[in-house]
Amino acid sequence: MNRERLARARRPRHTPAAWSCSVLLLLGACGDGGERIPSPAQFTDSAGVAIVTNPSGGAIYATIAPEPVLSIGAIDGPAEVLFGRIASVAVDGAGNLIVADAQMDEIRIFDGSGTHLQTIGGPGEGPGEFRALAGAWPTAGGAIVAADQRLDRITRFGPDGELLATATFQGPGEQPVIRPIRVAGPGLFLSRVESLTLPSLEDTSFSLEDALESISDPSGSRSEYLVRHDLEGILIDTVTAAPGQATQTSAQGSGTNLSIQILRLPFSSAAAATASPEGRMAVTTGRSYEYSTYDPSGALERIVRLTEEPPLRTDAHLEAWVRGSTGGREPMDDAQVEAALRRYREMPLPDRLPAWNSLVIADGGEIWARRFAIRGAETVVRDVFAADGRFLGQVVAPASLRIQHVGDGSVTVISTDDLGVERVEVYELQMP
């Protein structure tokens, strides 16, 4: 790729300038009981970007049925239903479930009744193999696109599981860290990219302190970029830039045994993004209840907000985070918890909790935005918005369910039980 094309690809497609807004006040609509339901004011700037501001509220959009209509996975049984760590679940046009297992580095396909159809991929570095499978998604033509975060590689399989092509993600910048997100329309793939500038081993003028400073970012001011590649790995464009997650670094050892640890600060916000099979994209910085949508060409089309701030962070939040950070290991005793609290209180932690940390675009165009929840929380809240940005209400669901796909009256999730066993499940949505 030449320099001109790379520079063009790294520029955001659209950066909002000072708004020159006209105001359109929408009249309230009537509910079934005759009550007035307030509609948001919608502002449109001269560039045609709509800003939708919604009053916050706790109206229920839907509830998730208590029991699944389909469950795939077990603690013991045939190999195809024993999952290690599920990275993604996608639904193709025929209703088949495409499950990417990041621990086994393989893709398993089930039909709508849960019958195993085939397994493709496997661990390794050869064509069609994976070292760190980040997910797998269908294309409109029936192919499956998979991404490997460690190999920076994109792989395509045909409808029958045959290997079609393997390519490497290109750039942008030097030493990019590429975090694949998902397929973003016909022939395109969306990723988060951070470009790191690290010294080479031969550069003796670059000290350890320089190295730590170059990758430490306690304020979260370093930008990440949302970029699109084609399925050959060629960088197409930069959709937008978003602030990175706050980090702090430390070093242990010396010489060839030196190790640098990068710690993501508790409660620091991280950008989240997703895309629909048609190529519509949604992005949030996670710092406020606001997300932006982009059309398939990459142009900014709408900014949607809730008139609410994320909750203030308290010592109770920090203690809950510390006690839940053992990851299933032996729980900390009170002395260990207090020592950890003292260490974290010395760090530049944010004053407020993050806002949204995950987005899903439903088949009907609605956007489901997952609110941040402390580790160990029993439930999580998702705010649901219509395609035009109107707030529709909330869905409260068990924290053990990670929603992967929202269809017509159902949700497909990754569920985790008390023993840590993961399953792919489908639940009905019950509308009020």
Side-chain angles (χ1 to χ4, degrees):
M1 181 181 295
N2 59 40
R3 292 180 180 272
E4 181 181 355
R5 183 176 181 184
L6 178 59
R8 184 172 62 253
R10 296 191 65 179
R11 287 197 301 267
R13 294 292 300 264
H14 181 94
T15 301
W19 302 109
S20 173
C21 301
S22 60
V23 181
L24 176 62
L25 296 178
L26 303 181
L27 297 178
C30 290
D32 293 339
E35 61 200 84
R36 303 285 292 181
I37 302 175
S39 295
Q42 180 174 340
F43 304 83
T44 304
D45 78 338
S46 59
V49 177
I51 304 176
V52 184
T53 303
N54 294 277
S56 59
I60 299 299
Y61 173 70
T63 57
I64 295 177
E67 298 296 332
V69 296
L70 176 66
S71 182
I72 308 171
I75 193 171
D76 190 18
E80 60 267 18
V81 297
L82 301 181
F83 297 112
R85 180 170 55 84
I86 302 174
S88 71
V89 181
V91 181
D92 68 12
N96 297 320
L97 301 170
I98 300 168
V99 185
D101 191 316
Q103 182 172 312
M104 304 303 295
D105 282 322
E106 63 185 24
I107 303 165
R108 304 176 197 172
I109 304 173
F110 302 84
D111 68 14
S113 68
T115 300
H116 177 253
L117 300 178
Q118 62 176 325
T119 295
I120 56 180
E125 297 187 4
E129 298 176 335
F130 306 100
R131 287 288 306 280
L133 180 60
W137 303 269
T139 68
I144 294 175
V145 175
D148 188 307
Q149 183 168 319
R150 185 173 301 175
L151 299 176
D152 288 340
R153 201 159 68 181
I154 188 167
T155 302
R156 284 181 288 156
F157 298 93
D160 296 326
E162 70 276 17
L163 178 64
L164 298 180
T166 297
T168 301
F169 288 118
Q170 297 184 3
E174 299 179 3
Q175 301 171 308
V177 177
I178 299 176
R179 299 182 179 89
I181 296 176
R182 60 169 299 130
V183 168
L188 293 175
F189 197 94
L190 181 67
S191 300
R192 288 168 52 189
V193 175
E194 181 180 3
S195 183
L196 297 179
T197 303
L198 298 177
S200 66
L201 295 177
E202 292 78 17
D203 187 359
T204 57
S205 65
F206 210 88
S207 67
L208 173 60
E209 290 75 17
D210 293 333
L212 292 178
E213 184 177 354
S214 69
I215 58 179
S216 181
D217 183 23
S219 66
S221 59
R222 181 185 288 117
S223 290
E224 293 184 342
Y225 298 91
L226 276 298
V227 305
R228 293 189 296 180
H229 295 81
D230 66 17
L231 300 188
E232 300 296 331
I234 304 298
L235 180 64
I236 300 301
D237 61 6
T238 296
V239 179
T240 190
Q245 194 170 14
T247 58
Q248 196 168 62
T249 58
S250 62
Q252 293 180 339
S254 61
T256 57
N257 293 322
L258 177 67
S259 65
I260 297 178
Q261 295 178 324
I262 303 177
L263 172 68
R264 298 191 182 277
L265 295 183
F267 311 114
S268 59
S269 303
T274 191
S276 70
E278 298 76 28
R280 183 172 172 236
M281 295 166 284
V283 180
T284 180
T285 66
R287 296 185 175 184
S288 63
Y289 293 114
E290 175 180 303
Y291 68 84
S292 302
T293 60
Y294 297 81
D295 67 20
S297 74
L300 177 65
E301 62 179 3
R302 184 172 289 107
I303 297 173
V304 179
R305 297 169 176 155
L306 278 180
T307 56
E308 180 181 346
E309 285 191 287
L312 289 169
R313 179 185 57 81
T314 66
D315 280 348
H317 290 131
L318 183 58
E319 181 174 347
W321 189 92
V322 169
R323 291 186 182 277
S325 64
T326 57
R329 302 186 299 273
E330 190 70 22
M332 294 183 180
D333 58 33
D334 290 342
Q336 291 172 318
V337 169
E338 187 56 38
L341 288 173
R342 286 196 299 269
R343 184 170 66 252
Y344 283 118
R345 285 174 183 141
E346 295 175 354
M347 297 180 181
L349 302 181
D351 295 330
R352 292 185 178 272
L353 300 180
W356 293 317
N357 58 5
S358 175
L359 300 173
V360 173
I361 301 179
D363 285 353
E366 300 86 4
I367 292 181
W368 291 44
R370 183 187 188 274
R371 293 194 176 212
F372 173 82
I374 296 290
R375 292 177 183 177
E378 294 185 358
T379 60
V380 294
V381 176
R382 290 172 174 84
D383 298 310
V384 183
F385 299 85
D388 63 4
R390 290 178 296 110
F391 178 59
L392 299 177
Q394 296 180 328
V395 176
V396 181
S400 59
L401 304 183
R402 290 182 284 151
I403 294 178
Q404 302 290 292
H405 175 262
V406 181
D408 183 12
S410 67
V411 292
T412 303
V413 308
I414 301 168
S415 72
T416 307
D417 66 17
D418 294 339
L419 298 177
V421 177
E422 293 192 346
R423 294 177 172 83
V424 177
E425 295 183 326
V426 179
Y427 289 80
E428 289 183 343
L429 275 179
Q430 300 172 337
M431 310 302 291

